[in-house]
Amino acid sequence: MLIENMSMAFSAIRVNKMRSFLTMLGIIIGIGSVISIVSIGDTMRKLFADLYKDVGVTQAYICVGYWVDERRMSDYFTLDDLERVRDVFGDSIAYMDSSASVGAEAINKKTTVSFDFTGIDYNYIDVQPVDMVYGRYLNEGDVLGRKKNVVMDVDSAMLLFGEENAVGRTFRTSLYGNMDEFTVVGVYRKEMNAFQALMMGGRSDRGSAFIPYTLLTWPNDYFYYLHLYASEDVNLEDFLGQVKEYVANSKGRDVADIYMETAMEQMMSVDSVMGGLSAAVGGIAAISLLVGGIGIMNIMLVSVTERTREIGIRKSLGAKTRDILVQFLTESAILSACGGVIGIIIGVGLVSVIGMAFGIGVVIRPGVVVLAVSFSAVVGIFFGLYPASKAAKADPIDALRYE
């Protein structure tokens, strides 16, 4: 019986191809919009998650809060403080430095390029891996000896020296007012897609380089932030809470006076906002499904009117009210489901094209696709219920007399 009803439904759709397509258009647009928006939202959430994983979800910045009125010299950290924190927490800390950075002009003969110099420890490569293509990374001797050695990326080397292999080349720059000569000991490459480069704030006219963080704490060795990466095998929330409490005690402050910013909190906050926006915009797009459902109801009412005589003949031959009801419900459901399938193809295709254009992998959840098809069929059944009921209740004698 179901096969027969489906066959009759497809026959009715084929007879009125243009009318059926226009009826499905609302469902097509609605499903396509929902699939596209939800997929774009999920893709953006994944990109942000990957971005935070790339910069390290276990990292945190700690300092005495900016809201504290009474500022003391003891609120600042020293190199000795770093060592004590390392001794207390041991292997729970994967990496730690002073979060020191400075912008300055790098001068090579007649070439001057604005640079961002970031102070790091020698094992920074353990938490932020890069591909060393020329020379070496900074080592422990560079850091402890405050050597004026530099590691930069290939793009920065091209900007300043006009070549990628700048190992051994020197340039002059002024850090905190002191002009010194620095030597490039290594050049690295780190691949990033367009989205990561945009979010990381990369600029084609500005260089970046790593130098020993001890150069940026000199001459007084005081700094405001403690920057660390926790080991991946620790309970991050408990560990950071312990670090916060230790810093508060060592500085003679209340725990409430300590400010801590973590990458994990930032990631969860961004993910929550992106998820909410995706759901809200997807919900707005889903309203068009109601418009499509009303279109299905309208065309089914027209179909019932046009086929009144057919209904009368079927009833006079023994068709039950239930048979007529199922027939028209099947037709409306198939009409809506076909629109849903086309909408899915368009939505998935659109998102895939956008992903290829930007060179990013898109996220399309199978559950959303299945839900979209199911929902479109339910819309067809719901809005086809009244026309089908009207057809099923038709009096066979009156239907046979209908012209």
Side-chain angles (χ1 to χ4, degrees), residues 38-69:
V38 172
S39 296
I40 290 173
D42 288 341
T43 300
M44 292 299 294
R45 293 172 69 181
K46 181 178 182 299
L47 287 173
F48 274 107
D50 290 343
L51 178 64
Y52 275 99
K53 288 178 181 177
D54 188 61
V55 300
V57 294
T58 66
Q59 70 171 310
Y61 294 85
I62 306 168
C63 67
V64 175
Y66 56 85
W67 58 84
V68 176
D69 293 329

Side-chain angles (χ1 to χ4, degrees), residues 99-239:
S99 183
S101 62
V102 66
E105 301 290 328
I107 304 169
N108 170 45
K109 298 179 180 177
K110 295 182 179 181
T111 302
T112 301
V113 179
S114 295
F115 258 73
D116 294 316
F117 294 101
T118 302
I120 63 169
D121 206 346
Y122 70 95
N123 60 335
Y124 188 60
I125 195 170
D126 294 338
V127 293
Q128 286 292 290
V130 293
D131 179 20
M132 295 300 301
V133 290
Y134 304 106
R136 63 172 176 85
Y137 205 69
L138 295 178
N139 59 35
E140 190 172 8
D142 294 327
V143 177
L144 295 178
R146 302 183 192 266
K147 295 182 180 179
K148 297 176 177 61
N149 290 337
V150 175
V151 174
M152 64 178 60
D153 62 272
V154 291
D155 293 331
S156 299
M158 285 294 298
L159 278 175
L160 187 59
F161 300 106
E163 60 179 342
E164 288 188 357
N165 188 0
V167 175
R169 301 288 296 272
T170 61
F171 65 91
R172 291 177 294 118
T173 191
S174 175
L175 301 182
Y176 303 142
N178 298 317
M179 181 67 73
D180 287 299
E181 187 172 86
F182 285 74
T183 303
V184 179
V185 296
V187 179
Y188 70 88
R189 177 180 285 109
K190 186 166 186 177
E191 300 295 338
M192 293 190 294
N193 60 38
F195 176 81
Q196 290 175 319
L198 176 65
M199 295 307 298
M200 295 294 285
R203 288 176 53 183
S204 59
D205 61 340
R206 192 177 184 90
S208 62
F210 294 136
I211 61 176
Y213 79 93
T214 48
L215 288 176
L216 298 181
T217 60
W218 182 260
N220 55 24
D221 283 342
Y222 283 100
F223 46 92
Y224 194 63
Y225 283 98
L226 186 66
H227 174 220
L228 62 84
Y229 283 75
S231 299
E232 295 184 356
D233 58 348
V234 303
N235 184 307
L236 191 61
E237 184 176 354
D238 291 344
F239 168 71

